[in-house]
Amino acid sequence: MILKQFYLACLAHASYIIIDERTKKAAVIDPQRDIDQYLVEAAKYDASIDYVFLTHFHADFVAGHVELRQRAGSRIYLGAAASAEYEFAPVADGDVIEFGDVRLKILATPGHTPEGISILAFDLSDDDRKPHAVFTGDTLFVGDVGRPDLMASVGVSAQELAGMLYDSLHEKILTLPDETIVYPAHGAGSMCGKSLGKETFTTIGAQRQLNYALQPMSKSEFIEIVTKDQQEAPAYFSYDAQMNRMERETLDATLRQSFRPLSLDKVRNLRDDGAQIVDVREPADFAGAHFEGSINLPLDGRFATWAGSLLNPERSIIIVAEPRTEHEASMRLGRIGFDRVVGYLDGGMGTLQGRNDLIESNRRTTVNALWRTFDGKEPLCVIDVRSTKEWEAGHIAESHNIALGHLTDRLDELPREHEFALICRTGYRSSVASSLLLRRGIMNFRDVIGGMEAWSSSELPVVEPTENSPVQG
């Protein structure tokens, strides 16, 4: 049995291929939508990818099961509780799929979602009684468990799912031997849990000792702890979960349709008709000059999360990028199902030379310059666009917290007669915020370069959390 993990850092997503050398057959678990890497890996062993499993309907990305079916002839396998538009093989608790020296045994593990499964992998050439590994999807992570609060829109409460999750963990996962390797679907940075560890795999024994959610507690205590303090789910999660149930276009097909250069006049006309212009360049480049009305979503950061949160998947998207990065931007949007990319600005920002009527810029400031204003007659008001949890952990005195995801709903809280500063952790989110404000005609601000990391590195004062700290935002 050959087993390989593929880790996609920008989505904190792990997928897997299992190959049997004897029968030349393979299975892929929780694939990303761009599937070439699985085809290449299978080809190394002259293997066919006969099976593709989704441990559940993922909410944070569009999986590549349809793509593998189309290009490799793979059969799709889902938990027996799943319902989808395409043909699939339902697998129930205890079901077994064997090919050569590989045995895959299904565990029904609802909790993160009702249809969730985990998959035990046995290497029969080594041991046919003890599993080598378990693929836990979003049931169990390194240091965490799957959040149970994403299904409220379809009528399943977080408390109901948390109770199912408790049973799945205690009746299925925790009965496995300590040495069983745990391969989850996500790592640190994913919003499918609240405190995922940086490692991409672990063991049952390690999690039994170290995972807060697996410590001895009653079901009611478990329900309380796993439903508490979850991050707000990005707006696109329900959209992607639905796409994973649908018969749809493959990523290759959508990229063939969308990856084309557009003239400046065409971009302007499409924008006037409601298209969204997404500038994926770095914040400094965006601040210097950008196409009027564009949204800055730099590729070097949590691009998918913020694209999915701030863009409308039903409206056309135009990309402005540095030359030769346009395809990467289209690919990343496709990974989260934002398939309405109609093209990219041919020649990038260089096309706008001499067209000051179409160019905007925004002012930036350093943390030291911001600090110096506090000693003057007109200190800058600071709008901190980090999450409330981040703000509570340490912030600039008298700063006002408005999380980026809520900024456009709370514009009335921004100073209009005086200049203010936008700050986040690194400068990524404040640049995104800058672009959102400019689109609404708000220009009396400066974007703080380097954010709170630069502030702390300069040893400038921070308000530390206290037990009675007021909560804002």
Side-chain angles (χ1 to χ4, degrees):
M1 183 175 77
I2 297 161
L3 191 160
K4 182 173 180 178
Q5 180 187 72
F6 300 86
Y7 195 78
L8 183 62
C10 63
L11 285 172
H13 165 224
S15 55
Y16 305 88
I17 190 168
I18 305 165
I19 301 171
D20 176 63
E21 283 192 288
R22 184 157 56 86
T23 61
K24 306 295 185 184
K25 292 185 176 183
V28 174
I29 298 173
D30 291 332
Q32 62 191 65
R33 198 176 178 194
D34 42 318
I35 61 167
D36 285 352
Q37 60 191 338
Y38 313 116
L39 302 176
V40 169
E41 190 66 22
K44 287 182 186 177
Y45 301 93
D46 195 27
S48 59
I49 301 175
D50 291 10
Y51 316 89
V52 55
F53 293 84
L54 295 192
T55 56
H56 63 289
F57 293 123
H58 295 274
D60 57 322
F61 69 96
V62 175
H65 51 297
V66 171
E67 284 75 9
L68 282 168
R69 182 197 65 188
Q70 295 298 97
R71 290 181 59 187
S74 310
R75 190 177 187 189
I76 300 170
Y77 290 77
L78 303 174
S83 176
E85 292 180 359
Y86 45 81
E87 183 180 341
F88 67 91
V91 285
D93 191 63
D95 284 355
V96 172
I97 295 97
E98 280 192 15
F99 46 101
D101 291 323
V102 175
R103 174 188 296 158
L104 301 178
K105 183 177 180 180
I106 305 303
L107 301 179
T109 51
H112 177 65
T113 63
E115 79 287 347
I117 59 172
S118 297
I119 304 169
L120 292 176
F122 294 81
D123 185 346
L124 301 181
S125 67
D126 179 51
D127 193 328
D128 63 356
R129 290 177 299 174
K130 286 187 177 181
H132 171 72
V134 58
F135 301 92
T136 53
D138 286 15
T139 298
L140 175 64
F141 300 125
V142 178
D144 204 354
V145 294
R147 61 189 298 173
D149 62 329
L150 298 181
M151 301 293 292
S153 61
V154 293
V156 187
S157 74
Q159 286 70 30
E160 288 177 276
L161 282 170
M164 294 180 198
L165 184 60
Y166 180 89
D167 293 338
S168 294
L169 291 166
H170 288 266
E171 296 174 10
K172 305 287 178 63
I173 301 296
L174 289 175
T175 65
L176 299 173
D178 280 353
E179 61 270 25
T180 307
I181 300 171
V182 175
Y183 288 117
H186 290 294
S190 169
M191 297 185 76
C192 293
K194 56 185 175 182
S195 59
L196 283 69
K198 64 180 185 300
E199 297 84 3
T200 62
F201 64 94
T202 183
T203 64
I204 292 292
Q207 291 311 293
R208 203 188 305 274
Q209 286 186 319
L210 303 174
N211 193 314
Y212 76 95
L214 302 186
Q215 302 314 300
M217 66 183 81
S218 67
K219 182 186 282 192
S220 60
E221 289 172 325
F222 177 88
I223 291 171
E224 181 179 2
I225 198 171
V226 300
T227 55
K228 184 180 179 182
D229 296 330
Q230 292 287 357
Q231 301 177 73
E232 184 175 359
Y236 78 99
F237 269 26
S238 59
Y239 177 81
D240 276 18
Q242 183 58 28
M243 278 198 73
N244 281 320
R245 294 178 173 88
M246 293 168 53
E247 186 65 63
R248 54 165 176 76
E249 288 265 33
T250 64
L251 180 60
D252 284 346
T254 61
L255 288 176
R256 281 196 299 271
Q257 295 166 14
S258 67
F259 193 64
R260 60 178 184 269
L262 302 172
S263 68
L264 180 58
D265 287 340
K266 181 67 173 176
V267 169
R268 184 176 56 181
N269 291 338
L270 287 168
R271 180 203 61 181
D272 292 345
D273 287 339
Q276 304 163 103
I277 300 179
V278 179
D279 190 321
V280 301
R281 297 174 303 142
E282 291 302 297
D285 297 323
F286 180 84
H290 56 263
F291 199 108
E292 182 184 35
S294 56
I295 301 173
N296 186 215
L297 296 170
L299 283 174
D300 187 17
R302 296 183 67 180
F303 176 78
T305 297
W306 291 114
S309 298
L310 300 174
L311 300 178
N312 185 336
E314 303 299 334
R315 287 172 52 197
S316 298
I317 298 170
I318 299 165
I319 292 167
V320 176
E322 295 290 352
R324 295 177 296 281
T325 63
E326 304 94 347
H327 186 272
E328 176 69 14
S330 296
M331 173 76 75
R332 291 203 195 180
L333 288 167
R335 284 173 179 160
I336 60 168
F338 280 54
D339 290 347
R340 295 184 182 269
V341 177
V342 295
Y344 60 92
L345 176 61
D346 191 17
M349 283 299 297
T351 310
L352 277 82
Q353 286 186 357
R355 292 302 308 269
N356 292 339
D357 57 316
L358 297 176
I359 293 176
E360 283 183 328
S361 61
N362 58 273
R363 289 175 294 174
R364 307 178 87 205
T365 190
T366 65
V367 292
N368 288 306
L370 174 60
W371 171 245
R372 286 194 294 271
T373 71
F374 296 160
D375 290 330
K377 293 181 179 180
E378 295 184 1
L380 288 184
C381 170
V382 177
I383 305 297
D384 190 325
V385 297
R386 296 176 299 160
S387 68
T388 298
K389 191 173 182 179
E390 290 174 285
W391 184 88
E392 289 176 331
H395 56 268
I396 297 171
E398 299 185 26
S399 61
H400 186 53
N401 178 221
I402 306 177
L404 175 57
H406 297 283
L407 182 63
T408 56
D409 296 326
R410 297 172 60 184
L411 297 179
D412 59 342
E413 298 177 37
L414 300 177
R416 293 305 177 97
E417 297 179 358
H418 305 288
E419 194 173 45
F420 61 94
L422 289 171
I423 198 166
C424 65
R425 183 175 67 87
T426 64
Y428 185 97
R429 281 172 284 180
S430 62
S431 185
V432 178
S434 297
S435 66
L436 297 178
L437 296 185
L438 289 172
R439 294 177 77 234
R440 286 157 179 80
I442 299 172
M443 294 177 282
N444 59 316
F445 64 86
R446 301 181 197 176
D447 180 15
V448 180
I449 300 167
M452 288 300 295
E453 286 190 355
W455 183 272
S456 298
S457 295
S458 297
E459 299 182 348
L460 296 171
V462 172
V463 176
E464 300 291 348
T466 63
E467 208 170 300
N468 300 314
S469 291
V471 176
Q472 301 185 47

